[in-house]
Amino acid sequence: MSQALVVGHSADASLHRLAPWFAEYGLDTRIMFGADGLPQSLDGYDALIVLGGAPLPDDDEHYPWLPATRKLIGEALERQIPMLGICLGGQLLAYTAGGHVERSKFQPEHGMTGIEATRTAATDSLFRVMPREYIMAENHIDHITMLPDNAVLLARSRRTPVQAFRIGPCAWGLQFHPEISQADIERWSALQRTNTEADGFSWSHIVEYGRRVSRGNTADARRLACRFAAICTHQDEENDR
């Protein structure tokens, strides 16, 4: 099987539902918590996946593994190794390539959220399997406020101008969380729920709406995950299940 290095920013980092979907297409994953140390290079890996977390991309003082993470991202870009950055991972990709990320610049997003693809997404090797509109999980107050000059915008939402983008032929950044299901959201801690309500969201609405859209969300997240795995394992066929 091909193998992806997965960088996590908390000790309980997880790919959740993505891991079994990746495995269907022959992509195995190895999760490493940044604080435990990261490899010096991507030698031996077929892909890089960087998960979400609390810091801004340059908060090296409190998260001292961020420079090593950015180095691996730079290597993936240089060597054209497929990469998927999720939430903070996407912000790290944008920042490493010359973009800007800011805290509380725009309104926050929590729970299942409508995403709109750009026209360019229809010809992107990953996002062409996605519908024009879809729903994904969100949980962020930080935003990419400026993409690098060489980035291609692939999706946006009502509150967030950058929901997905690509740099080079095979490095994708996401603000949304395809790994998170509605069941995962409903397992959020009491503190997370309190924070969402402090940001102006109704927890009961997050639960009710999320349950209504869960089936479509699962289908679209699976479609995206399987297509990424197919790219990493050099399988030519598209997955549109």
Side-chain angles (χ1 to χ4, degrees):
M1 293 180 74
S2 300
Q3 187 167 76
L5 171 64
V6 183
V7 178
H9 304 285
S10 64
D12 59 351
S14 172
L15 283 168
H16 296 280
R17 59 187 180 180
L18 294 187
W21 293 340
F22 287 161
E24 289 181 28
Y25 277 72
L27 182 62
D28 195 12
T29 53
R30 180 188 181 193
I31 298 181
M32 299 187 70
F33 176 30
D36 292 335
L38 297 174
Q40 292 296 309
S41 80
L42 293 174
D43 289 349
Y45 292 101
D46 303 284
L48 173 65
I49 300 168
V50 183
L51 299 179
L56 286 166
D58 61 349
D59 191 3
D60 300 353
E61 179 181 356
H62 298 101
Y63 301 84
W65 62 89
L66 289 179
T69 305
R70 296 194 300 267
K71 180 176 179 291
L72 291 171
I73 291 172
E75 181 183 354
L77 289 170
E78 182 178 354
R79 296 173 57 183
Q80 297 187 0
I81 294 172
M83 180 197 160
L84 187 66
I86 298 173
C87 196
L88 170 60
Q91 295 168 1
L92 277 161
L93 172 60
Y95 179 82
T96 300
H100 294 169
V101 179
E102 299 180 61
R103 176 151 293 166
S104 302
K105 176 71 173 183
F106 304 118
Q107 292 178 304
E109 291 178 310
H110 302 291
M112 292 297 174
T113 302
I115 309 293
E116 180 185 359
T118 64
R119 290 185 178 180
T120 309
T123 58
D124 179 76
S125 58
L126 175 60
F127 274 82
R128 65 190 184 198
V129 301
M130 299 297 286
R132 183 65 188 272
E133 296 182 351
Y134 48 94
I135 293 172
M136 291 288 168
E138 302 277 0
N139 190 31
H140 69 103
I141 60 173
D142 304 334
H143 294 79
I144 298 167
T145 54
M146 187 183 78
L147 281 172
D149 291 340
N150 59 342
V152 177
L153 180 65
L154 298 170
R156 59 174 67 92
S157 66
R158 184 173 62 86
R159 290 187 167 196
T160 300
V162 179
Q163 282 287 354
F165 64 96
R166 187 190 76 248
I167 297 177
C170 57
W172 290 275
L174 315 177
Q175 184 60 69
F176 59 81
H177 288 269
E179 82 280 18
I180 297 298
S181 69
Q182 178 59 23
D184 294 321
I185 290 173
E186 293 183 30
R187 286 192 288 267
W188 282 357
S189 68
L191 177 59
Q192 285 177 296
R193 298 181 187 191
T194 299
N195 288 341
T196 65
E197 293 186 333
D199 284 337
F201 290 77
S202 162
W203 180 251
S204 62
H205 175 75
I206 286 175
V207 171
E208 187 276 331
Y209 178 70
R211 289 177 179 178
R212 281 197 286 117
V213 302
S214 177
R215 184 173 180 178
N217 163 260
T218 299
D220 288 336
R222 185 183 189 281
R223 183 178 293 113
L224 188 70
C226 291
R227 178 58 187 158
F228 179 73
I231 290 170
C232 296
T233 56
H234 307 290
Q235 298 179 46
D236 294 331
E237 69 275 16
E238 291 185 11
N239 176 69
D240 58 0
R241 283 179 278 171

